[in-house]
Amino acid sequence: MIRFENVSKVYGAQAVVKNIDFQVAQGEFLVLIGPSGCGKTTTLKMINRLVEPSGGKILVGGRDIMQLDPVMLRREIGYVIQQIGLFPNMSIEENIDLVPRLLGWEKEKRAGRVRELLKLVDMDYDMYAGRYPNELSGGQQQRIGVLRALAAEPSIILMDEPFGALDPITRENLQDELKNLQNKLQKTIVFVTHDMDEAIKLADRIAIMRDGGIVQLASPETILRHPKDDFVVEFIGKHRVGSELATVESIMKSNPVIIGPDKGGAEALALMRRKGVDTLLVVDGEKKLLGVLSIEKLDREHKAVRLIKDVMDTNLPVVTAESSASEAFDLLIGQGLKYLPVVDEQNRLLGLVTRTSMVNALAGVVWGEEDGVESNF
Amino acid sequence: MSPIFELLATRWPEISVALWQHIYLSMGSVAFGILISVPLGIWLSSRDKTARMVLGVFGAVQTIPSLAFLGFVLPVLGIGTLPAMTVLFIYSVLPILRNTYTAIKEVNPALLEAGTGMGMTARELLFMVKLPMALPVIMSGIKISTVYIISWTTFSALIGAGGLGDLIYGGMNVYDLGLIVAGTIPAALLAILAGSILGRLERAVKPRGLR
């Protein structure tokens, strides 16, 4: 979707961007990150020609941008800046439908679009459309800033530290919303930040820049696991957990107690007593996970239970062995679960993450010895 | 108060003629001033060097006493309405020009970056963002110009352009206090009235989002 070929930018004798090459795929979320003065913002602004490259070629949707009318190019690329930049003299509606207006959309189509966009961030049209930017909080303003960039349905959106000026809580909220929006809309996004947390949270791929060049361009996972050099190591700092990011596989219990779907209630109770557990995982002959049976459920419906498959809970969240431990942790804590089955792509049961295994893993990180701690629980 | 009203009433025929002349001399000059200064200020806002020069020239002109200025103009343009309006026009330029220039320059650069980045042309940026944002300050320049041009228009009487100055200088020549007051009070009222109308206008053009 976007392609940089040997692009450089020189101001006087100073090279700000030095011969960089990279591509951004359709629907990809690329984060440019690096210390100030590394050329990340210049790189971003070259895409919509706010800064013109001194050398090399930039292709957007296969077209050389230097051959395009910059005004038309910009209208088909959404743009969000750090200072928000809502026009104080325009209402929220006028701010959002600015580009559609420039493009000459019909009035009804514009109003419909504004309605639709406000709905995306749960803002009520009748309540907000007629307001002015100074009547909104900073977070609301930047929500509008993002909607404004989406208004004319561009396939590419450029964001220049859009959440940098917001307080931490608002920033987190907007990051979450942006992520949800991105899941729904699948835009191609190039996002500049100097905040590694933000980059890891949002990016499909991160480009770490330094002195006008790209040091490493890879997925957050790869960068955290295999930082290319000392600069990257230093830059990602606290995010580097030991030498690798813990996966679910490394913390799960691998032999959960299982039972077949066609067994009876009494047999299940006996099994629980024997193994000292209060939950059984129900699997079929191929170890495919069918459901979960808890002792509470069994107690409550003891008399009525004929077959386990009639009483088991089938609606339960699962994780894969490759997902990160923190994801499992979020699920457990976030949804108040006691346990989380681990499955492979074919839904075959591999193991189980419980709160205890989670705590053990964390204790291992904190005290550095997993085995010693376990006995204390 | 009543002697003044009486005075104004008895002098009304002369006052009304002079007042009308006064209005069109001052308003005409300011109108030309706006017509030239606003576009010039916009044009200068993207040319810093030229701007410093032009503002410097008008600033210097502003310091020439108006009486002396009339002396310069007299040999070239003669007497009457045209030289009077020329001088007043030149005086009206600086506040409007300076305010237009400054207000446009001071529009938040983030807005310009957002506008340009979203694909506004220079003209769209000017009419949709810069001018609406700058308008209150431009209006305030117009107000300042108008109020003091109304008072300076009294000098036009000296080169035979008429206006309320006729009554004042006439009164001074024949030691007629009544005549002086008959010229002064309408001129002062006119300035106050114009100031208040334009002050209101200044608030009215302020975008709602900036209030």
Side-chain angles (χ1 to χ4, degrees), chain A residues 45 71 74-75 79 81 86-90 98-99 102 132 134-135 148, chain B residues 110-111 113-114 116-120 124 128-129 132-133 207-210:
Chain A
K45 287 184 179 174
V71 167
R74 290 171 192 149
R75 287 179 189 177
Y79 188 48
I81 64 173
L86 294 185
F87 301 115
N89 55 316
M90 299 183 197
L98 184 87
V99 180
L102 298 178
Y132 281 77
N134 65 347
E135 296 163 340
R148 184 172 70 169
Chain B
L111 299 182
E113 197 203 315
T116 311
M118 292 167 68
M120 282 186 172
E124 285 161 348
M128 296 171 79
V129 181
M133 296 295 291
R208 193 183 127 195
L210 292 178

PDB file of all heavy atoms in Angstrom, chain A residues 45 71 74-75 79 81 86-90 98-99 102 132 134-135 148, chain B residues 110-111 113-114 116-120 124 128-129 132-133 207-210:
ATOM      1  N   LYS A  45       5.571  12.468   7.372  1.00  0.00           N
ATOM      2  CA  LYS A  45       5.057  13.609   6.603  1.00  0.00           C
ATOM      3  C   LYS A  45       5.428  13.560   5.127  1.00  0.00           C
ATOM      4  O   LYS A  45       4.853  14.301   4.330  1.00  0.00           O
ATOM      5  CB  LYS A  45       5.557  14.916   7.223  1.00  0.00           C
ATOM      6  CG  LYS A  45       4.869  15.240   8.539  1.00  0.00           C
ATOM      7  CD  LYS A  45       5.312  16.574   9.075  1.00  0.00           C
ATOM      8  CE  LYS A  45       4.587  16.873  10.386  1.00  0.00           C
ATOM      9  NZ  LYS A  45       5.114  18.093  11.002  1.00  0.00           N
ATOM     10  N   VAL A  71      -2.703  18.126  -3.132  1.00  0.00           N
ATOM     11  CA  VAL A  71      -3.987  18.374  -2.474  1.00  0.00           C
ATOM     12  C   VAL A  71      -4.883  17.140  -2.590  1.00  0.00           C
ATOM     13  O   VAL A  71      -5.474  16.686  -1.610  1.00  0.00           O
ATOM     14  CB  VAL A  71      -4.668  19.622  -3.068  1.00  0.00           C
ATOM     15  CG1 VAL A  71      -6.117  19.696  -2.638  1.00  0.00           C
ATOM     16  CG2 VAL A  71      -3.911  20.876  -2.644  1.00  0.00           C
ATOM     17  N   ARG A  74      -3.584  14.289  -0.401  1.00  0.00           N
ATOM     18  CA  ARG A  74      -3.860  14.458   1.030  1.00  0.00           C
ATOM     19  C   ARG A  74      -5.311  14.170   1.362  1.00  0.00           C
ATOM     20  O   ARG A  74      -5.634  13.694   2.439  1.00  0.00           O
ATOM     21  CB  ARG A  74      -3.499  15.879   1.458  1.00  0.00           C
ATOM     22  CG  ARG A  74      -2.004  16.115   1.463  1.00  0.00           C
ATOM     23  CD  ARG A  74      -1.677  17.564   1.671  1.00  0.00           C
ATOM     24  NE  ARG A  74      -0.258  17.809   1.399  1.00  0.00           N
ATOM     25  CZ  ARG A  74       0.215  18.945   0.925  1.00  0.00           C
ATOM     26  NH1 ARG A  74      -0.608  19.950   0.652  1.00  0.00           N
ATOM     27  NH2 ARG A  74       1.495  19.096   0.705  1.00  0.00           N
ATOM     28  N   ARG A  75      -6.201  14.485   0.419  1.00  0.00           N
ATOM     29  CA  ARG A  75      -7.619  14.238   0.700  1.00  0.00           C
ATOM     30  C   ARG A  75      -7.947  12.760   0.742  1.00  0.00           C
ATOM     31  O   ARG A  75      -8.977  12.363   1.257  1.00  0.00           O
ATOM     32  CB  ARG A  75      -8.483  14.938  -0.349  1.00  0.00           C
ATOM     33  CG  ARG A  75      -8.496  16.436  -0.143  1.00  0.00           C
ATOM     34  CD  ARG A  75      -9.320  17.152  -1.172  1.00  0.00           C
ATOM     35  NE  ARG A  75      -9.113  18.596  -1.025  1.00  0.00           N
ATOM     36  CZ  ARG A  75      -9.652  19.498  -1.823  1.00  0.00           C
ATOM     37  NH1 ARG A  75     -10.440  19.120  -2.822  1.00  0.00           N
ATOM     38  NH2 ARG A  75      -9.429  20.766  -1.621  1.00  0.00           N
ATOM     39  N   TYR A  79      -5.346  12.209   8.289  1.00  0.00           N
ATOM     40  CA  TYR A  79      -4.190  12.779   8.980  1.00  0.00           C
ATOM     41  C   TYR A  79      -4.595  13.243  10.366  1.00  0.00           C
ATOM     42  O   TYR A  79      -5.535  14.008  10.529  1.00  0.00           O
ATOM     43  CB  TYR A  79      -3.645  13.952   8.149  1.00  0.00           C
ATOM     44  CG  TYR A  79      -2.336  14.517   8.643  1.00  0.00           C
ATOM     45  CD1 TYR A  79      -1.269  13.690   8.957  1.00  0.00           C
ATOM     46  CD2 TYR A  79      -2.159  15.886   8.767  1.00  0.00           C
ATOM     47  CE1 TYR A  79      -0.063  14.210   9.393  1.00  0.00           C
ATOM     48  CE2 TYR A  79      -0.950  16.418   9.207  1.00  0.00           C
ATOM     49  CZ  TYR A  79       0.093  15.567   9.517  1.00  0.00           C
ATOM     50  OH  TYR A  79       1.274  16.089   9.944  1.00  0.00           O
ATOM     51  N   ILE A  81      -2.925  14.871  13.970  1.00  0.00           N
ATOM     52  CA  ILE A  81      -1.700  15.420  14.549  1.00  0.00           C
ATOM     53  C   ILE A  81      -1.787  15.466  16.065  1.00  0.00           C
ATOM     54  O   ILE A  81      -2.862  15.363  16.643  1.00  0.00           O
ATOM     55  CB  ILE A  81      -1.390  16.832  14.008  1.00  0.00           C
ATOM     56  CG1 ILE A  81      -2.474  17.834  14.403  1.00  0.00           C
ATOM     57  CG2 ILE A  81      -1.215  16.786  12.516  1.00  0.00           C
ATOM     58  CD1 ILE A  81      -2.117  19.257  14.032  1.00  0.00           C
ATOM     59  N   LEU A  86      -8.170  20.594  15.846  1.00  0.00           N
ATOM     60  CA  LEU A  86      -9.557  20.835  15.434  1.00  0.00           C
ATOM     61  C   LEU A  86      -9.694  22.330  15.184  1.00  0.00           C
ATOM     62  O   LEU A  86      -9.079  23.137  15.867  1.00  0.00           O
ATOM     63  CB  LEU A  86     -10.535  20.417  16.527  1.00  0.00           C
ATOM     64  CG  LEU A  86     -10.616  18.935  16.852  1.00  0.00           C
ATOM     65  CD1 LEU A  86     -11.727  18.692  17.862  1.00  0.00           C
ATOM     66  CD2 LEU A  86     -10.865  18.108  15.612  1.00  0.00           C
ATOM     67  N   PHE A  87     -10.523  22.706  14.210  1.00  0.00           N
ATOM     68  CA  PHE A  87     -10.685  24.122  13.907  1.00  0.00           C
ATOM     69  C   PHE A  87     -11.666  24.734  14.901  1.00  0.00           C
ATOM     70  O   PHE A  87     -12.837  24.368  14.923  1.00  0.00           O
ATOM     71  CB  PHE A  87     -11.149  24.312  12.467  1.00  0.00           C
ATOM     72  CG  PHE A  87     -10.174  23.730  11.484  1.00  0.00           C
ATOM     73  CD1 PHE A  87     -10.507  22.663  10.681  1.00  0.00           C
ATOM     74  CD2 PHE A  87      -8.888  24.240  11.401  1.00  0.00           C
ATOM     75  CE1 PHE A  87      -9.589  22.105   9.802  1.00  0.00           C
ATOM     76  CE2 PHE A  87      -7.954  23.693  10.529  1.00  0.00           C
ATOM     77  CZ  PHE A  87      -8.309  22.620   9.728  1.00  0.00           C
ATOM     78  N   PRO A  88     -11.193  25.674  15.734  1.00  0.00           N
ATOM     79  CA  PRO A  88     -12.039  26.197  16.815  1.00  0.00           C
ATOM     80  C   PRO A  88     -13.242  26.951  16.279  1.00  0.00           C
ATOM     81  O   PRO A  88     -14.246  27.080  16.964  1.00  0.00           O
ATOM     82  CB  PRO A  88     -11.118  27.181  17.560  1.00  0.00           C
ATOM     83  CG  PRO A  88      -9.758  26.981  17.014  1.00  0.00           C
ATOM     84  CD  PRO A  88      -9.888  26.321  15.686  1.00  0.00           C
ATOM     85  N   ASN A  89     -13.141  27.442  15.044  1.00  0.00           N
ATOM     86  CA  ASN A  89     -14.240  28.222  14.468  1.00  0.00           C
ATOM     87  C   ASN A  89     -15.303  27.334  13.840  1.00  0.00           C
ATOM     88  O   ASN A  89     -16.307  27.824  13.333  1.00  0.00           O
ATOM     89  CB  ASN A  89     -13.700  29.200  13.426  1.00  0.00           C
ATOM     90  CG  ASN A  89     -12.892  28.515  12.338  1.00  0.00           C
ATOM     91  OD1 ASN A  89     -12.065  27.655  12.610  1.00  0.00           O
ATOM     92  ND2 ASN A  89     -13.142  28.866  11.103  1.00  0.00           N
ATOM     93  N   MET A  90     -15.080  26.017  13.855  1.00  0.00           N
ATOM     94  CA  MET A  90     -16.061  25.115  13.248  1.00  0.00           C
ATOM     95  C   MET A  90     -16.664  24.209  14.317  1.00  0.00           C
ATOM     96  O   MET A  90     -15.979  23.826  15.263  1.00  0.00           O
ATOM     97  CB  MET A  90     -15.401  24.231  12.190  1.00  0.00           C
ATOM     98  CG  MET A  90     -14.792  24.994  11.036  1.00  0.00           C
ATOM     99  SD  MET A  90     -14.126  23.827   9.833  1.00  0.00           S
ATOM    100  CE  MET A  90     -13.061  24.916   8.889  1.00  0.00           C
ATOM    101  N   LEU A  98     -15.157  17.928   7.175  1.00  0.00           N
ATOM    102  CA  LEU A  98     -14.360  18.874   6.391  1.00  0.00           C
ATOM    103  C   LEU A  98     -13.894  18.302   5.042  1.00  0.00           C
ATOM    104  O   LEU A  98     -14.135  18.895   3.988  1.00  0.00           O
ATOM    105  CB  LEU A  98     -13.142  19.338   7.192  1.00  0.00           C
ATOM    106  CG  LEU A  98     -12.354  20.394   6.440  1.00  0.00           C
ATOM    107  CD1 LEU A  98     -12.925  21.773   6.724  1.00  0.00           C
ATOM    108  CD2 LEU A  98     -10.892  20.362   6.790  1.00  0.00           C
ATOM    109  N   VAL A  99     -13.244  17.157   5.087  1.00  0.00           N
ATOM    110  CA  VAL A  99     -12.715  16.616   3.830  1.00  0.00           C
ATOM    111  C   VAL A  99     -13.855  16.225   2.871  1.00  0.00           C
ATOM    112  O   VAL A  99     -13.803  16.566   1.699  1.00  0.00           O
ATOM    113  CB  VAL A  99     -11.740  15.445   4.080  1.00  0.00           C
ATOM    114  CG1 VAL A  99     -11.214  14.904   2.765  1.00  0.00           C
ATOM    115  CG2 VAL A  99     -10.576  15.910   4.952  1.00  0.00           C
ATOM    116  N   LEU A 102     -14.757  19.330   1.253  1.00  0.00           N
ATOM    117  CA  LEU A 102     -13.779  19.732   0.234  1.00  0.00           C
ATOM    118  C   LEU A 102     -13.954  18.893  -1.025  1.00  0.00           C
ATOM    119  O   LEU A 102     -13.737  19.360  -2.135  1.00  0.00           O
ATOM    120  CB  LEU A 102     -12.341  19.553   0.757  1.00  0.00           C
ATOM    121  CG  LEU A 102     -11.932  20.385   1.976  1.00  0.00           C
ATOM    122  CD1 LEU A 102     -10.502  20.056   2.381  1.00  0.00           C
ATOM    123  CD2 LEU A 102     -12.075  21.873   1.684  1.00  0.00           C
ATOM    124  N   TYR A 132     -18.796  22.972  19.913  1.00  0.00           N
ATOM    125  CA  TYR A 132     -17.526  23.457  19.389  1.00  0.00           C
ATOM    126  C   TYR A 132     -16.379  22.791  20.140  1.00  0.00           C
ATOM    127  O   TYR A 132     -16.553  22.361  21.289  1.00  0.00           O
ATOM    128  CB  TYR A 132     -17.459  24.991  19.494  1.00  0.00           C
ATOM    129  CG  TYR A 132     -18.237  25.633  18.383  1.00  0.00           C
ATOM    130  CD1 TYR A 132     -19.631  25.687  18.443  1.00  0.00           C
ATOM    131  CD2 TYR A 132     -17.597  26.103  17.254  1.00  0.00           C
ATOM    132  CE1 TYR A 132     -20.359  26.213  17.399  1.00  0.00           C
ATOM    133  CE2 TYR A 132     -18.328  26.644  16.199  1.00  0.00           C
ATOM    134  CZ  TYR A 132     -19.698  26.691  16.280  1.00  0.00           C
ATOM    135  OH  TYR A 132     -20.415  27.194  15.231  1.00  0.00           O
ATOM    136  N   ASN A 134     -13.911  23.721  21.832  1.00  0.00           N
ATOM    137  CA  ASN A 134     -13.554  24.149  23.189  1.00  0.00           C
ATOM    138  C   ASN A 134     -14.583  23.716  24.232  1.00  0.00           C
ATOM    139  O   ASN A 134     -14.394  23.918  25.416  1.00  0.00           O
ATOM    140  CB  ASN A 134     -13.332  25.667  23.248  1.00  0.00           C
ATOM    141  CG  ASN A 134     -14.596  26.446  22.967  1.00  0.00           C
ATOM    142  OD1 ASN A 134     -15.581  25.881  22.497  1.00  0.00           O
ATOM    143  ND2 ASN A 134     -14.582  27.737  23.243  1.00  0.00           N
ATOM    144  N   GLU A 135     -15.669  23.117  23.792  1.00  0.00           N
ATOM    145  CA  GLU A 135     -16.663  22.618  24.745  1.00  0.00           C
ATOM    146  C   GLU A 135     -16.459  21.128  25.041  1.00  0.00           C
ATOM    147  O   GLU A 135     -17.257  20.507  25.732  1.00  0.00           O
ATOM    148  CB  GLU A 135     -18.083  22.842  24.192  1.00  0.00           C
ATOM    149  CG  GLU A 135     -18.409  24.321  24.040  1.00  0.00           C
ATOM    150  CD  GLU A 135     -19.596  24.579  23.128  1.00  0.00           C
ATOM    151  OE1 GLU A 135     -19.956  23.705  22.314  1.00  0.00           O
ATOM    152  OE2 GLU A 135     -20.147  25.672  23.208  1.00  0.00           O
ATOM    153  N   ARG A 148     -12.337  12.652  12.198  1.00  0.00           N
ATOM    154  CA  ARG A 148     -12.157  13.576  11.079  1.00  0.00           C
ATOM    155  C   ARG A 148     -11.236  12.957  10.021  1.00  0.00           C
ATOM    156  O   ARG A 148     -11.461  13.115   8.829  1.00  0.00           O
ATOM    157  CB  ARG A 148     -11.559  14.886  11.612  1.00  0.00           C
ATOM    158  CG  ARG A 148     -11.407  15.955  10.584  1.00  0.00           C
ATOM    159  CD  ARG A 148     -11.007  17.267  11.207  1.00  0.00           C
ATOM    160  NE  ARG A 148      -9.640  17.233  11.723  1.00  0.00           N
ATOM    161  CZ  ARG A 148      -8.970  18.307  12.129  1.00  0.00           C
ATOM    162  NH1 ARG A 148      -9.554  19.494  12.086  1.00  0.00           N
ATOM    163  NH2 ARG A 148      -7.742  18.210  12.574  1.00  0.00           N
TER     164      ARG A 148
ATOM    165  N   ALA B 110      -0.572  24.677  14.283  1.00  0.00           N
ATOM    166  CA  ALA B 110      -1.137  23.314  14.275  1.00  0.00           C
ATOM    167  C   ALA B 110      -2.374  23.251  13.381  1.00  0.00           C
ATOM    168  O   ALA B 110      -2.610  22.264  12.693  1.00  0.00           O
ATOM    169  CB  ALA B 110      -1.489  22.878  15.689  1.00  0.00           C
ATOM    170  N   LEU B 111      -3.154  24.344  13.373  1.00  0.00           N
ATOM    171  CA  LEU B 111      -4.356  24.368  12.537  1.00  0.00           C
ATOM    172  C   LEU B 111      -3.968  24.372  11.065  1.00  0.00           C
ATOM    173  O   LEU B 111      -4.606  23.732  10.231  1.00  0.00           O
ATOM    174  CB  LEU B 111      -5.200  25.605  12.842  1.00  0.00           C
ATOM    175  CG  LEU B 111      -5.717  25.734  14.270  1.00  0.00           C
ATOM    176  CD1 LEU B 111      -6.575  26.974  14.391  1.00  0.00           C
ATOM    177  CD2 LEU B 111      -6.511  24.493  14.638  1.00  0.00           C
ATOM    178  N   GLU B 113      -1.216  23.182   9.843  1.00  0.00           N
ATOM    179  CA  GLU B 113      -0.684  21.875   9.480  1.00  0.00           C
ATOM    180  C   GLU B 113      -1.823  20.883   9.284  1.00  0.00           C
ATOM    181  O   GLU B 113      -1.836  20.118   8.321  1.00  0.00           O
ATOM    182  CB  GLU B 113       0.274  21.366  10.551  1.00  0.00           C
ATOM    183  CG  GLU B 113       1.147  20.239  10.023  1.00  0.00           C
ATOM    184  CD  GLU B 113       1.700  19.357  11.112  1.00  0.00           C
ATOM    185  OE1 GLU B 113       2.171  19.872  12.129  1.00  0.00           O
ATOM    186  OE2 GLU B 113       1.657  18.131  10.923  1.00  0.00           O
ATOM    187  N   ALA B 114      -2.792  20.922  10.200  1.00  0.00           N
ATOM    188  CA  ALA B 114      -3.935  20.017  10.070  1.00  0.00           C
ATOM    189  C   ALA B 114      -4.662  20.293   8.756  1.00  0.00           C
ATOM    190  O   ALA B 114      -4.957  19.369   7.996  1.00  0.00           O
ATOM    191  CB  ALA B 114      -4.883  20.184  11.252  1.00  0.00           C
ATOM    192  N   THR B 116      -3.643  21.832   5.961  1.00  0.00           N
ATOM    193  CA  THR B 116      -2.865  21.462   4.779  1.00  0.00           C
ATOM    194  C   THR B 116      -2.789  19.945   4.650  1.00  0.00           C
ATOM    195  O   THR B 116      -2.977  19.385   3.574  1.00  0.00           O
ATOM    196  CB  THR B 116      -1.432  22.035   4.891  1.00  0.00           C
ATOM    197  OG1 THR B 116      -1.527  23.413   5.242  1.00  0.00           O
ATOM    198  CG2 THR B 116      -0.692  21.908   3.580  1.00  0.00           C
ATOM    199  N   GLY B 117      -2.525  19.295   5.784  1.00  0.00           N
ATOM    200  CA  GLY B 117      -2.380  17.844   5.772  1.00  0.00           C
ATOM    201  C   GLY B 117      -3.658  17.130   5.356  1.00  0.00           C
ATOM    202  O   GLY B 117      -3.631  16.010   4.872  1.00  0.00           O
ATOM    203  N   MET B 118      -4.807  17.786   5.583  1.00  0.00           N
ATOM    204  CA  MET B 118      -6.075  17.166   5.195  1.00  0.00           C
ATOM    205  C   MET B 118      -6.432  17.474   3.755  1.00  0.00           C
ATOM    206  O   MET B 118      -7.428  16.982   3.246  1.00  0.00           O
ATOM    207  CB  MET B 118      -7.194  17.653   6.114  1.00  0.00           C
ATOM    208  CG  MET B 118      -7.037  17.131   7.537  1.00  0.00           C
ATOM    209  SD  MET B 118      -8.115  18.011   8.656  1.00  0.00           S
ATOM    210  CE  MET B 118      -9.699  17.438   8.093  1.00  0.00           C
ATOM    211  N   GLY B 119      -5.637  18.319   3.127  1.00  0.00           N
ATOM    212  CA  GLY B 119      -5.871  18.573   1.709  1.00  0.00           C
ATOM    213  C   GLY B 119      -6.604  19.863   1.403  1.00  0.00           C
ATOM    214  O   GLY B 119      -7.321  19.960   0.413  1.00  0.00           O
ATOM    215  N   MET B 120      -6.432  20.887   2.265  1.00  0.00           N
ATOM    216  CA  MET B 120      -7.002  22.186   1.915  1.00  0.00           C
ATOM    217  C   MET B 120      -6.031  22.899   0.979  1.00  0.00           C
ATOM    218  O   MET B 120      -4.817  22.840   1.171  1.00  0.00           O
ATOM    219  CB  MET B 120      -7.157  23.042   3.167  1.00  0.00           C
ATOM    220  CG  MET B 120      -8.337  22.693   4.038  1.00  0.00           C
ATOM    221  SD  MET B 120      -8.439  23.930   5.361  1.00  0.00           S
ATOM    222  CE  MET B 120      -9.982  23.480   6.092  1.00  0.00           C
ATOM    223  N   GLU B 124      -8.534  27.721   0.367  1.00  0.00           N
ATOM    224  CA  GLU B 124      -9.480  27.152   1.349  1.00  0.00           C
ATOM    225  C   GLU B 124      -8.998  27.403   2.768  1.00  0.00           C
ATOM    226  O   GLU B 124      -9.779  27.733   3.650  1.00  0.00           O
ATOM    227  CB  GLU B 124      -9.650  25.648   1.098  1.00  0.00           C
ATOM    228  CG  GLU B 124     -10.510  25.342  -0.108  1.00  0.00           C
ATOM    229  CD  GLU B 124     -10.327  23.932  -0.654  1.00  0.00           C
ATOM    230  OE1 GLU B 124      -9.364  23.238  -0.243  1.00  0.00           O
ATOM    231  OE2 GLU B 124     -11.127  23.536  -1.506  1.00  0.00           O
ATOM    232  N   MET B 128     -11.414  29.382   5.077  1.00  0.00           N
ATOM    233  CA  MET B 128     -12.099  28.529   6.049  1.00  0.00           C
ATOM    234  C   MET B 128     -11.448  28.585   7.424  1.00  0.00           C
ATOM    235  O   MET B 128     -12.085  28.290   8.426  1.00  0.00           O
ATOM    236  CB  MET B 128     -12.136  27.081   5.554  1.00  0.00           C
ATOM    237  CG  MET B 128     -12.956  26.921   4.281  1.00  0.00           C
ATOM    238  SD  MET B 128     -12.801  25.272   3.564  1.00  0.00           S
ATOM    239  CE  MET B 128     -13.914  24.342   4.615  1.00  0.00           C
ATOM    240  N   VAL B 129     -10.162  28.933   7.473  1.00  0.00           N
ATOM    241  CA  VAL B 129      -9.474  28.891   8.763  1.00  0.00           C
ATOM    242  C   VAL B 129      -8.863  30.240   9.144  1.00  0.00           C
ATOM    243  O   VAL B 129      -9.250  30.851  10.124  1.00  0.00           O
ATOM    244  CB  VAL B 129      -8.369  27.800   8.774  1.00  0.00           C
ATOM    245  CG1 VAL B 129      -7.693  27.762  10.125  1.00  0.00           C
ATOM    246  CG2 VAL B 129      -8.970  26.448   8.428  1.00  0.00           C
ATOM    247  N   PRO B 132     -11.481  33.473   9.289  1.00  0.00           N
ATOM    248  CA  PRO B 132     -12.423  33.412  10.423  1.00  0.00           C
ATOM    249  C   PRO B 132     -11.720  33.564  11.773  1.00  0.00           C
ATOM    250  O   PRO B 132     -12.237  34.209  12.681  1.00  0.00           O
ATOM    251  CB  PRO B 132     -13.041  32.016  10.306  1.00  0.00           C
ATOM    252  CG  PRO B 132     -12.853  31.623   8.892  1.00  0.00           C
ATOM    253  CD  PRO B 132     -11.603  32.305   8.414  1.00  0.00           C
ATOM    254  N   MET B 133     -10.523  32.971  11.892  1.00  0.00           N
ATOM    255  CA  MET B 133      -9.804  33.063  13.157  1.00  0.00           C
ATOM    256  C   MET B 133      -9.287  34.486  13.388  1.00  0.00           C
ATOM    257  O   MET B 133      -9.213  34.953  14.518  1.00  0.00           O
ATOM    258  CB  MET B 133      -8.601  32.099  13.162  1.00  0.00           C
ATOM    259  CG  MET B 133      -8.961  30.632  13.074  1.00  0.00           C
ATOM    260  SD  MET B 133      -9.863  30.038  14.497  1.00  0.00           S
ATOM    261  CE  MET B 133      -8.592  30.100  15.742  1.00  0.00           C
ATOM    262  N   PRO B 207     -15.830  33.806  16.181  1.00  0.00           N
ATOM    263  CA  PRO B 207     -16.443  32.486  16.041  1.00  0.00           C
ATOM    264  C   PRO B 207     -16.913  31.968  17.397  1.00  0.00           C
ATOM    265  O   PRO B 207     -16.249  32.177  18.401  1.00  0.00           O
ATOM    266  CB  PRO B 207     -15.299  31.623  15.514  1.00  0.00           C
ATOM    267  CG  PRO B 207     -14.319  32.563  14.918  1.00  0.00           C
ATOM    268  CD  PRO B 207     -14.462  33.848  15.675  1.00  0.00           C
ATOM    269  N   ARG B 208     -18.064  31.278  17.392  1.00  0.00           N
ATOM    270  CA  ARG B 208     -18.643  30.818  18.650  1.00  0.00           C
ATOM    271  C   ARG B 208     -17.660  29.962  19.438  1.00  0.00           C
ATOM    272  O   ARG B 208     -17.585  30.039  20.651  1.00  0.00           O
ATOM    273  CB  ARG B 208     -19.907  30.000  18.355  1.00  0.00           C
ATOM    274  CG  ARG B 208     -20.720  29.759  19.612  1.00  0.00           C
ATOM    275  CD  ARG B 208     -21.916  28.894  19.338  1.00  0.00           C
ATOM    276  NE  ARG B 208     -21.927  27.770  20.254  1.00  0.00           N
ATOM    277  CZ  ARG B 208     -22.662  26.698  20.096  1.00  0.00           C
ATOM    278  NH1 ARG B 208     -23.440  26.572  19.041  1.00  0.00           N
ATOM    279  NH2 ARG B 208     -22.636  25.726  20.977  1.00  0.00           N
ATOM    280  N   GLY B 209     -16.892  29.199  18.701  1.00  0.00           N
ATOM    281  CA  GLY B 209     -15.944  28.302  19.359  1.00  0.00           C
ATOM    282  C   GLY B 209     -14.783  29.028  20.031  1.00  0.00           C
ATOM    283  O   GLY B 209     -13.978  28.422  20.700  1.00  0.00           O
ATOM    284  N   LEU B 210     -14.681  30.334  19.841  1.00  0.00           N
ATOM    285  CA  LEU B 210     -13.585  31.083  20.460  1.00  0.00           C
ATOM    286  C   LEU B 210     -14.072  31.937  21.612  1.00  0.00           C
ATOM    287  O   LEU B 210     -13.311  32.621  22.261  1.00  0.00           O
ATOM    288  CB  LEU B 210     -12.906  31.987  19.424  1.00  0.00           C
ATOM    289  CG  LEU B 210     -12.130  31.272  18.321  1.00  0.00           C
ATOM    290  CD1 LEU B 210     -11.552  32.251  17.335  1.00  0.00           C
ATOM    291  CD2 LEU B 210     -11.029  30.421  18.922  1.00  0.00           C
TER     292      LEU B 210
END
